[in-house]
Amino acid sequence: MAHFDFHFHLLFKHAISGDTDANEHTDVNQNIDVKGFADLLDSAFGGPFESQASPQMVLQSPLKFGLIAILSVEHAFVKRMMRIPGFRLEKALPLDPKMVQQIKNSEVSYHELFQKQVTFTRDTIQTHGKDWDMLLLNRSKDREEPGVWEAIRKRANANMQDAIKQQQNYKGSRWFALSIEGGHNLSEVPIRNQQGLIHQTPEETLKKLQDREDVDFMAINLSHLSRIPEMQLSGFAQGLNMSAQKAFKSPDFHPATECGLTFLGKKLVRQALTHTAKPILIDVKHMSLYSRLQYYRYRAKLAEEHQQVAKLPVISSHTGFTFTTYSNFIGNQQYLPQVDTDGEGLPVTTIAAQERKIGKTDDHNNEDLFGNPWTINLFDEEIEEIFNTNGMIGISLDQRVLGTRKMFLDGKRKSHYEPEHLAREEYTKLFENGQVPGAEAVLLEGLQRVVPLPRERHSMLLALHLVHAVRVGLNAGIAGPADVDDPSPWDYLCIGSDFDGLINPINSVKNITQIDRLKGELMRYLPQADKTLPFYEHEKALRYDRNGTVDRKYLESVIDKVLSINGIRLLMRFNNNWGI
Amino acid sequence: MVTDELDHQLSIINALKLEAQLQAVQRYESRLQEIEEIRRQIELVHQGKLSLVQIDTSKARVDQRIEREHAPRHIAEERINGTNNFQDAFIIDKLAHLKNAVCRLTLNGRGLGTGFMVAEGIIITNHHVIPDEATAQRMEVEFGYEFDSNKILKKADKFSLHPQLFFCTSSIAPVAGDATSGLDFTLVAVDPSANLSRYTVAPLDGTLGKIVMGELCITIQHPAGEPKKVVLKNISLLKLTETHLIYESDTLPGSLGSMVVGLGTGEIIALHHAGVPKRNAEGRPVTKSGAVAYPGTPDEQIAWEGNEGVRVSCIINAIEQMALPKAMEPFRQKVLRRTNDRRQIRQEAGKMVTESVNAAGNHKTEKQNVNMERTAINKSDGLQANELTSFIILVKNKPESIQQVNAFLTARYGRPIKIQLLTPATAIDGADELFEFVASPKISLSDEAAELTRFTYIQAAEADVPLALNTYIEKREGGAGTESVYESGVKDKVWEDEFASWNEEAFQKEWAEAEFVKGRKAHEFRRWNHDAARFDKLTDEDFSFLKENPVFIAQLDTGFTNHFKVVGGFDQDLDVDLIDNDADAPDELQGGVLKFPGHGTRTGSILIGKQPLFDLSDSATQHDGNYGLISKAGSRIIPFRIAETVLLLNRQKELAKAVDRAIASGVQVMTMSMGTASTITTARLAKKTYDAGVIWCCAAGNEVKFVVAPAVFPGTIAVAAHNPDNGPWPKSSVGDAVDITAPGQDVYVPIFAKGPNGTRLDDFAYGSGTSYATPHVAAAAALWLAKYKTELLDVKGWQRVEAFRTAITQTARQHDKLPKRGYGAGILNVDALLNSKKGRPTPEMIAGLKYAYDGWNEHHFIASLQGWTELFKSYWNLAHGGLRRLFGMEAMESAAATATLSDFSKTQETLLFGGGSLLESDAALSPDEAISRLQVLNNLILQNAKA
């Protein structure tokens, strides 16, 4: 099958390793290979440093379409890297130590680093594109060489139509679009500068990118994993858990001081969505719940002024779900809050959500499955919101995003999940006062010994997510897009693996080369998930005959949609500039 | 011959020296008991059992000594005590400077004593070194006779003395009836053609407080005429007599004329003149070996037990009183200059304000003869000790310092305390940042704040107590015997509910001949402010930039109301209410005391008030007319509600939160039509805003005449007010800090009038205040930022603010009626700002910009603020409370708790204004007096920033 991945990092690890200043990166035809102590760390932490979706792996995989996320390394990662006596993490990891120093010492802006990565990605794909049979989608108008971009678009459309039709036998090229992961990539002032400079015109920076002919971006995340004081666009949700804190030990991974979509964020959203030739979608992944709710509202308002905005879908490229509505979560206070100040003068606000059982396995000693209730994951209202915009949700393949918490006996939980941090004002407004405005997972698992889980737990979690979203859609009366065969909420779902984004992947799919395992896993676990998911039980995500036997053809068709067709259709819409 | 002359002179000197020594011994012995007691106490200090300042029995001296530290009493005491062994490094520069003033006096090349230059071309030494003019004629003065770091003698300069130009002397022994005698000093002029540029002047300061008992001093000298030496060894001050001071030292064997310097202040405290030798039972001086010493025994062999110097203050007194030929008068004045400067510093601080106000012209302070009752409001801190209070402290934003402070506070208050960043969203790692915590101190809040700063990691501290806000309220007699109200709702009766009334009749009467009124129809002169600031000249294209590139403007005020004029103009999606954490920031519209309905509505209307829907040219009955300066661009403003009323800023924290949120969210312009007392917090916020590149337009202030905070700080844009005839608004604050003047007197703004059955009618009235002038500049800033967006793309941080300041000042409109001084560059001219070359931020303009905080010593400023803050805030609140009481309003109740001034502040008050503490007394203090004292204090504090 011609797989689609909504969110992965093709060259991120290559781009940040080697001598980035001299443009001498690790050979792109080689995987990043961590050695020595770092290797030990890598396996202890669940393998975030080893390559998961390098070009070579992609070539060996059935991945044909997708979004390549580009981002610069945030200050929080380099601020205080784990200190083990006699050992420096930044030296052992595949990271250019010079770049680390530049980031630490405010010698460079995120945008400069981002630009370098864009150039590197563009050039690498240009140079090796022929060998790899890999191309980048681009909506640019032809200026210098008439017909070039137009020809590429035509070819892409033809390939994608072919892939939807042929599926198993697709022989065409690999087509990818680019996305910008994190608003910080647009900041043009020195990282963490001591003068307190703010980049006041991120919209201009984005416009310059949109006006470029050589590259094109489909989406941008307003925030990422950490605090960016020099340019706040929106609040971010905690993504890293406590064991990650041990490695990178920075309070900057905790939301604390943000508050919703800022004026800078609004200017950026406006610029992103109203550029007529190359609008850029807002990917709500990583935004705080408060900011997401504010964004939905702001987008709707903007759509009143600018018709084209209504055509631009809301997306979340690599998410999990909380398996509840925020009205329920907040209204019935299904969490324990705590308000304090940390030792560094920052407000600390945490909530520990009640564990939420979302399904069962046959393993009777360890049967219950739980979602990840952190507010980085989407709430039911949001699933509905995204469907209503003809949007797309990519389910992450990070086991932590999907709900895994412990290495073993994960089916036994206490009452509450690990607390997550919220920004103080967002907490006060939304959680305390119920004002609706207008964690990504875990990088590192801790230093305990890894005990592998029965792999199906993770696949089951993935299946539960898909089923849940579909049920939410059905419950809300979402019919599905008008222009597809047999429309349903299934048409709004895909996979966003986040491979090479420093994640801890689900056990069944360790990297991109194993992505074809997903179909089998889903064939097996979607019906189970549809059986055991305790929410919206009156709605069934799959179809059954009179005896209650799963309609296998339908099952296969929705899996094809999720793993391939939906994403390709989205790319086609992008390739045709959303019909604007 | 040469030898004879020298021998002769030496014998004279030796004889005189013995006389001086005799005098010294007598004085020493008469005070022996006290000296022994002080020695004992110094020993206790060394053991840490006593504080140095406790040794000295003169409170005035201790207080003045403390004042010289420019630091809160406790810090100052700590420094003086030396228990905190750190002293600012500039003391070394000061000492190096003093060293270069020291010279030796020679006769035929032989060094006979030490002297030092106290004014350009005038040296001082002992009388017994140069007893008369004739000796002076023969002697020479040699500067620079000292070793360099390679122990090679430097090239020295010798000059002759010119006693005929200036000479005065005071004998060794007191002469009956001559108060200037008995001080053993001589001042003499140096050859006026001498090139003294390599050497420095060490002026004498005759005021008190340069040293306290037990404190250390050092000497710089030419012992026995040798190359220059310093004695850095412990020399403690033992006793001050009326004329002399006695110090403990065995290292000053008759170093005649040496300079004695207080180590704590780096000020000259005495002219050394004699040693006190140890004596045997017969009273004969003895040598170190115990033998009886003779007049010829070298000094270094004699056992010394004390030394005596002549007090600088006495020398200065004597110089002042001496009868001198008229020709010598200029020299005398040169010597006295430093002393006079210091003595006058306080008076001058007061005078400067008055002068600048007078220079600004036609200002008449209305005599307010209402006696102000002294109520609790005048107590600055407002809150009693032991109540839970917020403190704001300045700490380096590093985990280590924060942890130290947390541990310190936890120990101090006996419960876990974690300080929290006051501006967390914009805090910079490793920079000095404001933090807050809550505690219930056992002593007064300002004493507590001062105590806190004793801890090394806390650089400054203040209690976050309510502060009066400086917003103008005027009661005005209208025509036809009725009272009409300008700035809304000020009349007593009106104030009890929330209403005001239309007052155009009074306006027309006063301004019939004014440039922007005469010959115009109502709908035209109601928007005279557009015409005055040249907004009327702007084209649609000028507004189109702002329309296409919205600039986010934050209004720090009381929130908004639903007056039809402003409906839709406030961006309610984004507003931030820092008072109640409510979703929106509407004014609560509570009438009466403490409430000032609609201040945010009125100031906001100047920016975003709706354009009238109908053509008003024929409709005399319509009251509508004025509208927002940037309404044509479809702009909206974001209300940040920082105060419940315009009278009181309950917490500076709320202002800090607003500024933090505004900067972090990408606000480009802030407008604040409220002012308050200078505080550590407002000072830091102004600088933070400036560094981040956010233009903060601030009202210069009303009534108090001096520019209030935050307008007074270099980083903000300070706006004064003018009237409909291009003249000054007499109540506007003025001063060097003002950048620009904009329409502020009698501007047409929305109010609520009383309708039937107590209903509320949307209406309008003319009101005054720098409150109204400020939004004009904010509007100009928004238009300018939008128009020059491209030009400003790469202009970051403070340069954005400075470029704007340059642009508005260079394009300002001049008018004869507006005084040249105190009103900044003139009247805002937005047309020129947007459409002339001078308003354009060219690369050349950007390259020439200067950082506003160059020449502003933030460190000194904060330290000085820390020291004066209680008194300043007290007078601030007193003055503002008084103003309000004049208009029939009662005291600000929330600030009305009774608290007393700390002893420190009482002392300051007495020192500064004489008499006992007025804040503490029951005597009535008129608002005028409170304001004038406030001006003195304000200038004192600011002077330190500029020093």
Side-chain angles (χ1 to χ4, degrees), chain A residues 481-492:
Chain A
D483 52 347
V484 301
D485 295 337
D486 199 1
S488 75
W490 284 105
D491 296 310
Y492 301 124

Side-chain angles (χ1 to χ4, degrees), chain A residues 79 192 194-197 199-200 203-204 227 257 262-264 266-267 297 340-341 343-345 347 425 433, chain B residues 399 402 418-421 424 428-429 552 573-574 581 661 665-667 691-693 789 793 796-797 800:
Chain A
K79 186 178 183 182
R192 286 299 167 111
Q194 289 293 297
Q195 300 91 327
L197 299 180
H199 183 47
Q200 292 189 338
E203 76 283 9
E204 291 296 320
R227 201 179 148 231
T257 65
T262 66
F263 313 124
L264 296 175
K266 291 201 167 186
K267 283 200 291 182
R297 193 167 108 175
D340 197 1
T341 300
E344 301 189 12
E425 281 183 58
N433 300 337
Chain B
I402 296 167
K418 283 191 254 180
I419 57 171
Q420 189 165 327
L421 279 159
I428 298 168
D429 290 348
F552 292 97
D573 187 38
L574 299 166
N581 278 320
R661 179 59 58 220
S665 308
V667 158
D691 288 340
K789 185 171 182 173
L793 261 189
K796 308 268 183 224
R800 290 173 81 85

Side-chain angles (χ1 to χ4, degrees), chain B residues 167 219 223 266 302 418 427 480 566 642 674 723 822 839 854 891 918:
Chain B
F167 183 88
T219 66
I302 295 176
K418 283 191 254 180
V566 296
I642 56 160
M674 295 173 157
N723 65 29
D854 287 346
L918 267 173

